[in-house]
Amino acid sequence: MDLAALKALKPSEYQEAADGYRATSEMAGKAREAIDNRVSAGIRNQLSGESATAALRELKELSKDFHYVETECALVSTALNGFAFDMAAAKRKLEAAMEDAKAAGCTVGPDGSVTFPAGGKEVDGKVPEGGTVHVSTSPTDPAAAALERQAVNIHPNPNFGKAVGFADRIGDALKEATDADTKWAPKLRALKADDDLVVSDKDWIDVKSDTDGVRDAGKGYLDSLPQPPKHDNPKDNAEWWKGLTDEQRSDYLSVHPDAVGAMDGLPATVRDEANRTVLDEAHAKAQLEYDAWLKKHPEPERFQPYIDPYTGAMPKGLSVETQEWKDWEEARKTARGPLSGMEAIEKRFDTYTDESKRPYLLGFDDKNNGRVVISIGNPDTADNVATYVPGTGTTLGSIDGDIHRAEVLQDRASLTDPTHKTASILWLGYDAPQDLLTDATDAKYADAAREPLSNFLTGIDTAHHGSVNSTVLGHSYGTLVAGETMRDHPDLPVDRAILVGSPGVGVNHAKDLHIGADHVWAATARNDLVNLAPPPAGPLAPLNPKAYWRLFNDHSVMYGNDPISDEFGGRTFHVAPGKLPTTDGLMPAHSQYWEGDSLNNMAKIVTGGTP
């Protein structure tokens, strides 16, 4: 970058180009939304058959294309804004140096050299002559800096020192511009798509790489924007977002989709947009990792002839699965677990039929066991919002069933109260315990979830467009998470609580949940094995007689009084007895609250009624 190029450069032109790419990104986003929310949903709602299925398949691919264009063009816009920011800073330094040089009587040449006039005390009857200092950069080495100072100090013409300073400043500005050009050129070159119409997993991996590259290169520009609150306070988050311009929102969203998607208090549409990008990137990564696993672990022979253990005979036509294949299949399911969860989430975006059932991805993280927060219906505009907190064993890989619970509750609530809109949220915003006999006996998982759940519920209230009837629905260990959160946050914007299959909620009385005991509803199926949960009795609970105190005292359970007991003081509702243990898995009744009378009664509570 030379002097002429930097003088001629107009950062505003790059900002205008950034505006153009941002506009293109917004158009692609609107096209994607039209395909998903109107065209595809309309087809699913009105048509069926092979032609409809084929059309939906093609529309899904087109939607992916638009999402990719939306994401990449937003990154290009941010990159151009970052480049313009860096170059504008360098140009301001150059212009300031040249103005100061002119004011000091110096002349800046086309190559950046600085010519200074004669000046200073006469030496042998002559005023020290002027001269020219060639463009340079401020020395960073202490020894070089010392030599420069020495040369300035001994030079008889004081204008020499000024010229050296101007030349250094000009050199610094040119170097800064050159560094910016060198930094941004490869980043911008990387922001291009393959020469095809298929958005592959590799393309989304490249999006993640592009995002990281633009974020790192644009640190100076991004740091100049209004920064998000340091503490995750939903109200502060909302004010910060409202205070940004459309351009600033786009730039921050393009390079920090994970941070925006996790911000409680922001609009559901914004969080959904951010988390959909995070999901697509994570899905691509998981798919490639799973493909690599399959390549490394080829499927073994599945069947072998059946051998009668008594006679040693091999009946013709009879075969059994090999143990080697069974072990491989178990390992395969484990390897594919997170990918299956992501596909379960994506399935909701591909199958909903109208706006009232539109899913919003309010949180997503594939690290460890995974985090998923998804709302069926828009919580910002719904009259009723139910937030379901699942319990032991919940992971990203098993999330399909939990999303289904949120769906059936929303569907039943909409039938129960068709005059008001209901949004039903699955909140897996914490690390759920994974083992019934060890993890679930420890309150540490609920302890760590109290602040995240409190912030989420406060954020829902903050982002809402009006008044909202808010219900927290806890299941199993999730009731402890809900109970502790309400216990420790007296001002939580929650109107009602539903506690099903509970081992205790961290309090002995419903009034300690701060919403009024008559607003706390609980139910446990007669055949739910959670009824056998004993009160805590130390690390050797199974061997400690105190662990079985509940056989004689019908209200004390693992985490306080049983919510369905009279001692707890809340209200109860009817649920079916449920299936007997081991008739359909170990604890079938523990998972039957989202059907029959139980579901009907929960829908009545969620919509403000009485079962």
Side-chain angles (χ1 to χ4, degrees), residues 12-314:
S12 61
E13 293 180 346
Y14 293 91
Q15 292 171 326
E16 291 170 1
D19 292 342
Y21 274 100
R22 179 163 57 86
T24 301
S25 173
E26 291 173 353
M27 285 190 290
K30 289 178 180 178
R32 173 179 61 82
E33 290 180 0
I35 290 171
D36 294 343
N37 304 335
R38 293 201 298 272
V39 181
S40 295
I43 290 175
R44 288 191 294 267
N45 195 38
Q46 300 180 35
L47 302 176
S48 62
E50 293 183 5
S51 296
T53 301
L56 288 171
R57 184 170 55 249
E58 293 301 318
L59 285 168
K60 180 180 178 180
E61 292 303 314
L62 183 58
S63 175
K64 288 168 59 178
D65 290 345
F66 278 124
H67 191 200
Y68 180 75
V69 171
E70 177 186 10
T71 305
E72 285 287 270
C73 284
L75 282 173
V76 174
S77 176
T78 303
L80 289 170
N81 277 330
F83 175 74
F85 177 86
D86 289 347
M87 298 304 280
K91 185 165 184 174
R92 284 194 300 271
K93 291 180 180 179
L94 174 65
E95 291 173 343
M98 294 180 67
E99 285 295 322
D100 290 346
K102 181 179 179 181
C106 297
T107 303
V108 178
D111 60 353
S113 60
V114 180
T115 300
F116 59 95
K121 295 181 181 179
E122 293 185 356
V123 178
D124 296 331
K126 294 183 179 180
V127 175
E129 295 181 352
T132 299
V133 176
H134 293 287
V135 66
S136 61
T137 57
S138 301
T140 56
D141 180 68
L147 289 174
E148 184 178 273
R149 287 195 301 271
Q150 183 179 14
V152 168
N153 290 335
I154 65 175
H155 198 284
N157 188 339
N159 292 322
F160 170 76
K162 296 178 182 178
V164 168
F166 298 141
D168 285 351
R169 289 167 61 188
I170 292 171
D172 290 342
L174 293 175
K175 182 179 185 304
E176 189 173 316
T178 300
D179 290 346
D181 186 59
T182 302
K183 175 181 67 175
W184 281 111
K187 304 299 181 188
L188 286 163
R189 280 196 296 268
L191 293 169
K192 62 180 181 180
D194 294 336
D195 188 18
D196 57 42
L197 293 177
V198 177
V199 179
S200 65
D201 293 323
K202 184 178 179 300
D203 288 329
W204 277 109
I205 294 295
D206 287 342
V207 168
K208 180 65 169 65
S209 176
D210 292 341
T211 302
D212 293 342
V214 173
R215 182 178 58 247
D216 293 343
K219 187 177 186 307
Y221 167 64
L222 295 168
D223 286 349
S224 74
L225 303 179
Q227 295 300 292
K230 291 184 178 180
H231 304 290
D232 189 20
N233 181 291
K235 290 181 171 57
D236 291 344
N237 291 343
E239 289 303 313
W240 168 74
W241 187 257
K242 290 177 183 176
L244 299 178
T245 65
D246 289 343
E247 179 182 297
Q248 291 170 339
R249 290 176 182 175
S250 176
D251 288 340
Y252 199 88
L253 181 59
S254 71
V255 293
H256 292 294
D258 51 346
V260 173
M263 277 190 180
D264 297 311
L266 268 58
T269 51
V270 173
R271 297 183 70 173
D272 177 64
E273 178 184 348
N275 285 312
R276 293 281 294 275
T277 297
V278 177
L279 173 63
D280 282 343
E281 293 172 354
H283 183 279
K285 179 174 176 286
Q287 183 67 60
L288 292 177
E289 288 176 348
Y290 177 63
D291 292 344
W293 187 93
L294 288 176
K295 187 175 181 180
K296 187 177 180 180
H297 303 86
E299 182 176 5
E301 191 69 33
R302 181 171 182 176
F303 295 103
Q304 65 183 15
Y306 171 74
I307 301 176
D308 191 307
Y310 299 104
T311 66
M314 292 189 296

Side-chain angles (χ1 to χ4, degrees), residues 318-331:
L318 291 182
S319 60
V320 293
E321 291 178 341
T322 65
Q323 187 60 46
E324 183 183 11
W325 184 87
K326 291 179 181 178
D327 293 342
W328 175 87
E329 177 65 3
E330 188 67 26

Side-chain angles (χ1 to χ4, degrees), residues 221-499:
Y221 167 64
L222 295 168
D223 286 349
S224 74
L225 303 179
Q227 295 300 292
K230 291 184 178 180
H231 304 290
D232 189 20
N233 181 291
K235 290 181 171 57
D236 291 344
N237 291 343
E239 289 303 313
W240 168 74
W241 187 257
K242 290 177 183 176
L244 299 178
T245 65
D246 289 343
E247 179 182 297
Q248 291 170 339
R249 290 176 182 175
S250 176
D251 288 340
Y252 199 88
L253 181 59
S254 71
V255 293
H256 292 294
D258 51 346
V260 173
M263 277 190 180
D264 297 311
L266 268 58
T269 51
V270 173
R271 297 183 70 173
D272 177 64
E273 178 184 348
N275 285 312
R276 293 281 294 275
T277 297
V278 177
L279 173 63
D280 282 343
E281 293 172 354
H283 183 279
K285 179 174 176 286
Q287 183 67 60
L288 292 177
E289 288 176 348
Y290 177 63
D291 292 344
W293 187 93
L294 288 176
K295 187 175 181 180
K296 187 177 180 180
H297 303 86
E299 182 176 5
E301 191 69 33
R302 181 171 182 176
F303 295 103
Q304 65 183 15
Y306 171 74
I307 301 176
D308 191 307
Y310 299 104
T311 66
M314 292 189 296
K316 186 177 181 180
L318 291 182
S319 60
V320 293
E321 291 178 341
T322 65
Q323 187 60 46
E324 183 183 11
W325 184 87
K326 291 179 181 178
D327 293 342
W328 175 87
E329 177 65 3
E330 188 67 26
R332 186 195 68 80
K333 289 179 179 178
T334 300
R336 202 183 189 285
L339 186 60
S340 298
M342 295 179 211
E343 290 175 348
I345 297 170
E346 291 169 341
K347 175 185 175 183
R348 270 61 191 189
F349 294 104
D350 297 337
T351 57
Y352 75 93
T353 55
D354 61 65
E355 185 64 25
S356 68
K357 301 181 185 303
R358 175 182 172 181
Y360 292 81
L361 190 58
L362 305 182
F364 178 81
D365 189 341
D366 64 336
K367 298 181 183 65
N368 301 319
N369 288 326
R371 307 278 182 92
V372 178
V373 182
I374 188 168
S375 178
I376 308 303
N378 189 341
D380 294 352
T381 58
D383 302 292
N384 308 302
V385 176
T387 302
Y388 156 51
V389 184
T392 303
T394 313
T395 66
L396 170 58
S398 67
I399 207 67
D400 187 31
D402 293 289
I403 299 176
H404 177 69
R405 291 174 176 178
E407 289 174 320
V408 296
L409 180 59
Q410 195 266 355
D411 187 60
R412 191 61 55 88
S414 298
L415 292 174
T416 302
D417 182 9
T419 62
H420 295 91
K421 292 185 290 186
T422 297
S424 180
I425 300 172
L426 159 68
W427 186 85
L428 180 62
Y430 79 114
D431 294 322
Q434 295 300 302
D435 186 88
L436 280 173
L437 299 180
T438 55
D439 293 352
T441 62
D442 194 328
K444 68 179 182 181
Y445 302 94
D447 296 343
R450 288 176 296 192
E451 289 305 315
L453 180 57
S454 171
N455 284 337
F456 177 76
L457 293 169
T458 303
I460 291 296
D461 185 69
T462 300
H464 199 274
H465 296 172
S467 61
V468 58
N469 170 45
S470 175
T471 302
V472 175
L473 165 58
H475 173 239
S476 188
Y477 190 92
T479 64
L480 178 62
V481 174
E484 284 197 1
T485 302
M486 297 173 70
R487 177 196 70 194
D488 294 350
H489 300 86
D491 297 324
L492 201 63
V494 170
D495 300 291
R496 296 185 168 207
I498 302 175
L499 312 166

